[in-house]
Amino acid sequence: MCYDTDITPQYLAGYIDADGYIGINKSNTANGSYRYAVYVGITSTNRDVLSLIQKKYGGGLTKNNNGSKKWRPKYSLVWYSHKAKELINIIFNYLVIKKERAKLVLSFPIGQTGVNLSKEENDIREQLYRESKKLNKRGNNCS
């Protein structure tokens, strides 16, 4: 399908507010420490619109296995690290639902991985990760 449209920051913010995700990921490293990564992503069965977004804003587009041949294929467009922060800076003023998550990602220190960080630096990352996890919890976050 051909779309004759420009993907504006307002459109992208609305798309991410509705069907996207913003957060901080935590994973184990081989030496027992943790690695944290900030990310922004969208998952959809509409590859065309994700391709349009990718063409203007970058990101990595992948096809996901959705578990059943009866279902349409789904695709993910994801930005990590500096690219995630750059994207949030572009759409931040237009976010509504995920604005608090975006603030956490913007405040997350990017640079070294968890290997050579001080306890204080690791504690900051862990605190932001936990706040992100709390905001991403399913259900009503308005109370």
Side-chain angles (χ1 to χ4, degrees):
M1 181 168 277
C2 184
Y3 298 96
D4 184 24
T5 186
D6 180 34
I7 303 295
T8 64
Q10 295 89 333
Y11 175 87
L12 184 55
Y15 203 130
I16 290 171
D17 262 342
D19 288 328
Y21 43 95
I22 298 174
I24 302 168
N25 186 35
K26 176 182 173 182
S27 59
N28 293 320
T29 64
N31 69 357
S33 64
Y34 296 104
R35 175 174 290 134
Y36 299 89
V38 296
Y39 61 88
V40 177
I42 307 166
T43 299
S44 177
T45 58
N46 187 332
R47 186 181 195 283
D48 292 338
V49 74
L50 294 182
S51 292
L52 281 172
I53 294 168
Q54 183 188 37
K55 185 176 179 180
K56 183 165 183 177
Y57 298 99
L61 182 60
T62 58
K63 183 177 179 181
N64 303 316
N65 182 358
N66 58 12
S68 174
K69 292 181 181 182
K70 295 179 184 178
W71 298 339
R72 290 184 290 168
K74 65 180 179 179
Y75 303 89
S76 293
L77 179 58
V78 184
W79 298 261
Y80 291 100
S81 192
H82 295 287
K83 296 296 183 185
K85 284 187 166 191
E86 288 172 14
L87 183 70
I88 289 172
N89 280 319
I90 292 168
I91 65 171
F92 184 80
N93 290 333
Y94 310 109
L95 289 169
V96 176
I97 307 297
K98 296 188 171 88
K99 188 165 248 171
E100 289 302 314
R101 295 170 192 163
K103 284 181 188 176
L104 283 178
V105 167
L106 290 175
S107 70
F108 193 88
I110 293 180
Q112 292 181 315
T113 59
V115 178
N116 296 318
L117 297 177
S118 70
K119 180 177 178 349
E120 180 183 5
E121 290 170 315
N122 273 320
D123 289 347
I124 290 168
R125 285 171 165 77
E126 180 65 23
Q127 178 185 354
L128 291 170
Y129 164 74
R130 288 180 187 210
E131 288 177 39
S132 172
K133 194 171 178 181
K134 184 178 177 183
L135 286 173
N136 282 331
K137 184 178 177 184
R138 292 183 189 263
N140 186 351
N141 291 323
C142 297
S143 54

